[in-house]
Amino acid sequence: MPFKEIDVDTVYKGDPQLKKEDIKNLKEWAEMQPHLPKMTELQLILFLQSCYYSNELAKTTIDIYFTVKTLCPDIFANRSIKDPAVKLAATTMLASILPKRTPNGDTVIFFKLMDNNPDNFNFALQIRCFDMITLSHHHREGPQNGITILFDMQGIVFGHFLKLSVVIMKKLLYYLQEGMPIRLKSLQYFNIPSFMDKILALMKPFMKKELYDSIQIHTTMESLYAQVPKDILPQEYGGSCESLKNLHDKFLKLMAESEDLFKFQETQLADESKRPGKPKSISDVFGMEGTFKKLEVD
């Protein structure tokens, strides 16, 4: 069935800080950028709200969003659950927006491996699934007050770590911090593997201090519950949310139902040949990939 996104009038009514005049000005700016694709009003709203209603910051974020999406097809292209590789990634991982929010109003995106076999783990495709389901949720439900990403690390073994890529990690964290139209508040991890320090060491060089300081490592469930109350969590963790299996089934169903949105997103690419001034290349944004040091592990 056709993808059903939230009505923009509903978003305006629910957010007194969101001004139609600001969206009008942002739209006029976007339409004057020859390298940018045509955007919907809801997309403009998502960018402005995620930038705390700063038009100038929203302009920068929009440009980065489309630039990264265009220059990184290894992560962002081919957004279809019908593709065997994407389907395997979605089957391997649960990425679920939990029904209840935290006491401070943040939306929780819950991650967990559903298949612990490292052979089926593809870092770039897991990121693609995260991006697809997160933006699909924002298009269905409207802008979110904030996003907390919660990782259950159970089942993650050293074989998964060895499949992480420094290049892909840099692209992910740049996009997450500079281009994705969400308000990312914190990263929460529990059921920690013994090599968590190595994962953090891989991430830290590409993270702003603010985001790195938001990371919380929970060694007990009581520590986790202090940040994400038990009641919010799936049944397996003592919460009132449904089971992991039901959440995963719904995740796969939502991915399939969002096919129209994903196809539209695939068409929205920057045309660097039309960018005013000098076109941007992958090395302009991320540096030469060949200059990354080889990942060394003990």
Side-chain angles (χ1 to χ4, degrees):
M1 61 188 209
F3 181 80
K4 175 71 173 170
E5 66 179 23
I6 191 168
D7 181 70
V8 293
D9 288 337
T10 301
V11 179
Y12 285 120
K13 288 176 184 176
D15 186 351
Q17 292 181 269
L18 184 66
K19 308 298 183 186
K20 290 187 177 182
E21 184 65 23
D22 290 337
I23 294 297
K24 179 176 177 289
N25 292 337
L26 190 59
K27 180 181 180 182
E28 289 174 352
W29 167 84
E31 289 177 343
M32 290 176 62
Q33 309 309 306
H35 64 296
L36 293 181
K38 184 174 176 60
M39 300 174 64
T40 68
E41 186 171 1
L42 179 57
Q43 283 182 310
L44 294 165
I45 288 171
L46 292 175
F47 278 104
L48 188 63
Q49 187 271 350
S50 70
C51 293
Y52 296 89
Y53 314 102
S54 165
N55 240 295
E56 292 309 307
L57 183 55
K59 292 174 184 178
T60 301
T61 305
I62 287 169
D63 189 77
I64 291 172
Y65 171 85
F66 287 114
T67 300
V68 172
K69 287 288 184 87
T70 303
L71 296 178
C72 302
D74 51 339
I75 299 177
F76 298 109
N78 194 16
R79 301 165 74 79
S80 174
I81 192 72
K82 294 177 182 177
D83 180 270
V86 179
K87 186 173 183 178
L88 176 60
T91 303
T92 300
M93 174 192 75
L94 166 64
S96 175
I97 289 84
L98 298 183
K100 293 184 180 180
R101 298 184 180 184
T102 65
N104 63 358
D106 288 349
T107 299
V108 179
I109 305 178
F110 178 77
F111 283 91
K112 177 179 172 56
L113 285 180
M114 302 301 284
D115 176 352
N116 296 341
N117 184 353
D119 291 340
N120 293 329
F121 180 79
N122 184 311
F123 188 35
L125 290 180
Q126 313 302 157
I127 295 168
R128 188 181 307 176
C129 290
F130 154 71
D131 183 62
M132 290 165 68
I133 200 66
T134 302
L135 294 188
S136 170
H137 179 77
H138 279 65
H139 278 260
R140 287 177 185 274
E141 304 296 332
Q144 304 295 295
N145 176 67
I147 296 292
T148 288
I149 301 180
L150 175 62
F151 299 86
D152 180 356
M153 306 291 280
Q154 187 174 33
I156 293 180
V157 298
F158 206 66
H160 292 106
F161 174 71
L162 292 175
K163 296 190 78 172
L164 298 182
S165 157
V166 181
V167 173
I168 297 295
M169 184 67 78
K170 183 174 186 178
K171 291 176 179 178
L172 163 64
L173 290 172
Y174 180 74
Y175 171 71
L176 199 59
Q177 295 172 97
E178 306 293 346
M180 194 175 187
I182 64 171
R183 292 180 177 180
L184 181 58
K185 297 291 187 67
S186 71
L187 304 174
Q188 311 274 337
Y189 297 85
F190 70 108
N191 286 329
I192 306 302
S194 60
F195 50 88
M196 187 68 196
D197 59 327
K198 293 179 172 59
I199 297 175
L200 293 175
L202 182 65
M203 298 166 61
K204 188 174 182 179
F206 312 122
M207 302 180 81
K208 293 181 176 178
K209 184 178 185 299
E210 181 181 13
L211 181 59
Y212 190 79
D213 289 347
S214 82
I215 295 174
Q216 299 203 35
I217 307 298
H218 302 287
T219 55
T220 67
M221 294 305 290
E222 288 69 28
S223 169
L224 172 64
Y225 297 153
Q227 298 298 320
V228 182
K230 179 195 287 191
D231 183 58
I232 291 175
L233 299 173
Q235 293 174 4
E236 288 82 353
Y237 309 96
S240 63
C241 184
E242 54 201 306
S243 70
L244 290 171
K245 183 183 184 305
N246 285 350
L247 288 173
H248 195 221
D249 289 344
K250 284 188 174 180
F251 161 63
L252 295 173
K253 184 171 181 282
L254 283 172
M255 291 281 275
E257 290 177 348
S258 303
E259 187 80 7
D260 289 347
L261 172 66
F262 300 148
K263 284 182 179 178
F264 172 66
Q265 290 174 334
E266 279 193 64
T267 68
Q268 287 187 299
L269 298 176
D271 185 344
E272 289 299 329
S273 69
K274 295 180 179 178
R275 179 186 289 274
K278 181 189 173 192
K280 287 188 178 179
S281 68
I282 192 81
S283 60
D284 292 329
V285 179
F286 299 105
M288 295 300 293
E289 295 188 3
T291 64
F292 284 109
K293 292 181 180 178
K294 181 180 180 293
L295 177 61
E296 305 234 353
V297 294
D298 297 326

